[in-house]
Amino acid sequence: MQPQKTDLARTALQAHRAPLDMRQRRLLILCDGQRDLGQLGQLVGPETPAMVIQLIQSGYLVSSAAAEVAVVAPAAPAASVMQTAALPPVTERRRSLVAARIYLLDILELQRHPQAAALFHTLQQARSDDAVMAALHAALEALPGLTSTGYAERVRQRLLEVLPTAHAERFQIAAV
C-alpha cells in the first residue's frame, strides 16, 4: 500500500484550515505514493496504519491497495475502524513542552511582524518551564492582534493538543 494525497489533502496542507493534528499533517506530507506503509511507519511511528485508515476515510489519502482490500475483504475496514476508535488519540502519546514551544516558535516566525519577532525572542530565551509557559501565554494573547481570530483560535487548540496534560490544565486555568 502506497498512499497518495488527494486534492483535499493538498488544499488542507496549503491552507492550514483542516482539522488535522500535527502528526496527521506530517503523515500527509510524507504520503507521496512512493513510500509504502512500512516506510511511513518508520518515519511517523507505530500508529501510522490507523492514521492512514483515518485519512483515507476522511478523503485526504487514496490508495489502490485500499480499494483492493475493500473488494477482497469488505469486513476488514470495519474492523480497522473499530480498532482505530479504541486507540487513544495520537496527541495523547506525543505531548511535550518542547514540542509546544517549537510549534509556537514556528507560528510566530511566520507572522513577519515586529511584535511577533519580540515574542519569538522571548519564547526562544525562556529556560524554565514557568518562563516557557508565560511566554506561550503572552504569545497566544497577542496572536489575535497579529492574525485573524479564527487562526489564533486554531493555534491555541493545536497548542493545547501538544502541551503535556498538566501544563495544558495550568494553561487553561491561566487563560480564564
Side-chain angles (χ1 to χ4, degrees):
M1 172 193 257
Q2 295 176 327
Q4 286 184 280
K5 291 182 271 301
T6 63
D7 290 335
L8 176 65
R10 288 183 194 88
T11 303
L13 289 171
Q14 289 175 349
H16 295 280
R17 297 179 193 267
L20 301 170
D21 64 34
M22 288 188 295
R23 293 186 51 82
Q24 289 171 324
R25 291 181 62 77
R26 182 175 169 205
L27 179 60
L28 277 180
I29 291 167
L30 293 171
C31 288
D32 57 2
Q34 302 297 317
R35 295 180 180 97
D36 65 14
L37 206 52
Q39 292 169 321
L40 291 169
Q42 289 175 342
L43 295 169
V44 178
E47 65 278 350
T48 301
M51 288 174 50
V52 168
I53 290 169
Q54 287 175 329
L55 292 171
I56 288 173
Q57 290 173 344
S58 299
Y60 293 106
L61 292 175
V62 294
S63 174
S64 59
E68 293 168 14
V69 169
V71 170
V72 174
S80 298
V81 172
M82 289 172 50
Q83 287 175 343
T84 302
L87 291 174
V90 172
T91 56
E92 290 298 320
R93 293 182 248 162
R94 299 289 183 170
R95 291 178 174 258
S96 120
L97 190 57
V98 173
R101 181 181 183 176
I102 291 169
Y103 171 69
L104 204 51
L105 284 170
D106 288 344
I107 294 297
L108 290 170
E109 191 172 33
L110 291 171
Q111 300 314 307
R112 307 275 189 223
H113 189 278
Q115 185 181 4
L119 291 165
F120 177 92
H121 182 71
T122 301
L123 181 56
Q124 191 176 41
Q125 297 303 314
R127 296 293 175 238
S128 70
D129 287 358
D130 289 335
V132 170
M133 290 299 291
L136 291 173
H137 186 70
L140 281 186
E141 292 261 325
L143 206 53
L146 303 173
T147 67
S148 71
T149 306
Y151 182 75
E153 180 59 26
R154 284 191 302 278
V155 168
R156 186 181 79 73
Q157 289 300 322
R158 296 281 192 260
L159 190 65
L160 290 174
E161 290 175 4
V162 176
L163 277 171
T165 307
H167 290 296
E169 290 169 0
R170 281 184 27 210
F171 193 83
Q172 287 177 323
I173 290 169
V176 174

